[in-house]
């Protein structure tokens, strides 16, 4: 038997299988039954290594169900393996990394305690929404990025004079990194929210760069699609050509994909941190390199 086991959570089966092949680990599969009251019952099949286990499970919706399943898998792995690494390709709750308003609970801090409590000795996440989140962990933690894998995919497409665009200033560094590897220019839009009406306004000082070009909107995640839709509508008014979206985590909640396409996006390309139609970019090699 291999000295390493990859324990596949139900939310990350494809990625876990690919990772196990890459690192030549024994794959342990899980069968999950969710009862009508919401409880999860997990049954594992396969032998868990005494030396090292790697649990792979993304925490996307239903977030709390996937979270308890992740913790259960780590806990079981720790009963057998002396070392348990938790690979969380999409880390839910990472947007709750600080107290934005007085009284708010920093749920990421709770997760950090839970992961340690059940026996994980290291956490690996992919493009975690906020690096601040990892500061709450007292075990080893590492964030890896899917950008090089996304860029590799985009290099195979024939785009016309492409321009990389961040939908907001917060994503500027991400767009810059993408553009550097893609060898193109980039811009970051400015998103302003009216404090009274809540209305979002988009602008840019670089409108002149957009017309006639194919664009790649780069973001870490698409949740409801609101940010991408607003940016696309704005960019279409600036007479761009096609709009592509490159993102790591495509949650695509509430029919977001359909709405995004309706706004004029030609194609969404995302990583397999969350399985789905758009998740064509494999990050198993990037994760494998982070497991040392
Ligand atoms: C914002 O800071 C993030 O990078 C994403 O742009 C955002 O979370 C996406 O959410 P939605 O798709 O709901 O606009």
């Amino acid at each position: 038997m291999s000295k390493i086991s990859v324990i596949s959570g139900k939310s990350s089966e494809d990625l876990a299988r690919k990772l196990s092949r890459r690192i030549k680990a024994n794959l342990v599969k899980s069968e999950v039954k969710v009862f009508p009251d919401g409880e999860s019952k997990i049954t594992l099949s396969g032998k868990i290594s005494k030396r090292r286990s790697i649990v792979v499970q993304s925490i996307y919706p239903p977030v709390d169900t996937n979270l308890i399943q992740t913790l259960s898998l780590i806990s079981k792995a720790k009963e057998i393996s002396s070392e348990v690494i938790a690979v969380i390709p999409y880390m839910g709750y990472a947007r709750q990394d600080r107290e934005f308003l007085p009284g708010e609970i920093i749920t990421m801090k709770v997760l950090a305690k839970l992961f340690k409590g059940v026996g994980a000795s290291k956490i690996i996440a992919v493009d975690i929404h906020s690096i601040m989140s990892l500061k709450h962990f007292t075990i080893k933690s590492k964030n890896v990025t899917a950008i090089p894998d996304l860029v590799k995919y985009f290099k195979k497409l024939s785009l016309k004079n492409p321009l990389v665009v961040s939908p907001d200033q917060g994503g500027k560094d991400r767009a810059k990194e993408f553009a550097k590897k893609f060898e193109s220019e980039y811009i970051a839009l400015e998103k302003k929210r009216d404090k009274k009406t809540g209305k979002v306004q988009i602008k840019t000082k670089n409108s002149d760069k957009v017309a006639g070009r194919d664009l790649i909107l780069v973001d870490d995640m698409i949740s409801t699609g609101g940010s991408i839709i607003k940016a696309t509508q704005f960019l279409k008014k600036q007479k761009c050509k096609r709009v592509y979206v490159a993102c790591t985590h495509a949650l695509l909640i509430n029919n977001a994909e359909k709405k995004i396409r309706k706004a004029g996006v030609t194609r969404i390309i995302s990583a397999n941190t969350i399985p789905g139609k758009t998740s064509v970019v494999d990050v198993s090699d990037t994760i494998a390199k982070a497991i040392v």
Side-chain angles (χ1 to χ4, degrees):
M1 197 182 94
S2 168
K3 288 189 179 118
I4 309 177
S5 313
V6 165
I7 302 178
S8 160
K10 212 63 194 158
S11 72
S12 294
E13 284 182 316
D14 170 60
L15 190 47
R17 193 179 51 251
K18 288 188 169 120
L19 181 66
S20 72
R21 282 191 194 140
R22 282 198 191 273
I23 62 172
K24 298 189 174 35
N26 171 49
L27 182 66
V28 176
K29 292 184 184 170
S30 54
E31 258 332 299
V32 176
K33 183 171 179 189
V34 180
F35 290 103
D37 64 356
E39 280 179 16
S40 300
K41 181 186 168 76
I42 309 171
T43 311
L44 296 180
S45 61
K47 260 200 165 292
I48 297 175
S49 157
K50 286 192 180 150
R51 217 188 104 205
R52 194 185 220 194
S53 279
I54 297 157
V55 170
V56 187
Q57 164 96 331
S58 271
I59 303 176
Y60 56 79
V63 169
D64 292 339
T65 300
N66 282 331
L67 172 61
I68 192 74
Q69 289 179 12
T70 309
L71 297 169
S72 304
L73 293 170
I74 298 169
S75 174
K76 181 66 192 173
K78 188 60 190 168
E79 284 173 21
I80 296 154
S81 300
S82 52
E83 185 193 6
V84 180
I85 298 175
V87 172
I88 315 295
Y90 172 69
M91 179 71 85
Y93 283 110
R95 286 183 281 187
Q96 296 188 45
D97 61 337
R98 66 199 85 178
E99 195 178 328
F100 293 98
L101 294 169
E104 280 180 1
I105 292 171
I106 305 167
T107 313
M108 205 55 233
K109 210 171 178 175
V110 181
L111 257 67
K113 287 183 200 165
L114 290 170
F115 277 110
K116 185 183 180 186
V118 291
S121 53
K122 184 175 178 180
I123 298 279
I124 298 172
V126 183
D127 286 324
I128 193 162
H129 181 71
S130 127
I131 290 289
M132 252 293 274
S133 302
L134 294 180
K135 299 229 160 74
H136 299 299
F137 285 90
T138 52
I139 55 173
K140 282 186 227 155
S141 64
K142 194 173 174 70
N143 180 59
V144 296
T145 177
I147 288 178
D149 298 312
L150 287 164
V151 166
K152 217 185 281 171
Y153 193 94
F154 271 86
K155 279 196 168 161
K156 286 188 270 173
L157 305 177
S158 32
L159 303 184
K160 188 177 175 277
N161 193 12
L163 174 71
V164 171
V165 183
S166 167
D168 51 40
Q169 290 290 311
K172 191 175 173 178
D173 288 345
R174 192 178 301 119
K176 187 176 173 185
E177 194 183 338
F178 190 108
K180 195 173 167 205
K181 292 202 157 57
F182 192 62
E183 296 172 82
S184 72
E185 279 187 294
Y186 78 96
I187 60 167
L189 303 179
E190 290 165 50
K191 197 164 79 179
K192 281 236 154 60
R193 190 179 294 274
D194 186 301
K195 285 203 176 91
K196 275 192 196 142
T197 62
K199 234 180 131 188
V200 172
Q201 251 212 329
I202 310 246
K203 55 177 191 171
T204 177
K205 292 184 196 92
N206 297 296
S207 285
D208 54 317
K209 291 199 171 164
V210 174
R213 296 174 81 167
D214 281 340
L215 308 181
I216 307 172
L217 267 171
V218 176
D219 212 341
D220 61 332
M221 61 191 279
I222 304 174
S223 181
T224 63
S227 311
I228 292 296
I229 291 169
K230 283 248 150 44
T232 304
Q233 287 166 342
F234 171 80
L235 293 161
K236 287 277 172 186
K237 279 191 199 140
Q238 319 301 311
K239 307 255 181 297
C240 67
K241 277 199 116 58
R242 295 173 297 179
V243 177
Y244 284 79
V245 174
C247 79
T248 306
H249 315 293
L251 288 166
L252 298 169
I253 290 161
N254 293 341
N255 239 348
E257 194 194 345
K258 211 169 158 196
K259 293 180 200 161
I260 290 171
R261 300 211 19 120
K262 205 171 156 216
V265 168
T266 299
R267 203 172 154 200
I268 304 168
I269 287 150
S270 63
N272 59 349
T273 54
I274 296 176
K277 226 165 69 197
T278 64
S279 309
V280 292
V281 174
D282 176 34
V283 289
S284 63
D285 188 41
T286 297
I287 294 173
K289 285 178 185 142
I291 299 169
V292 277

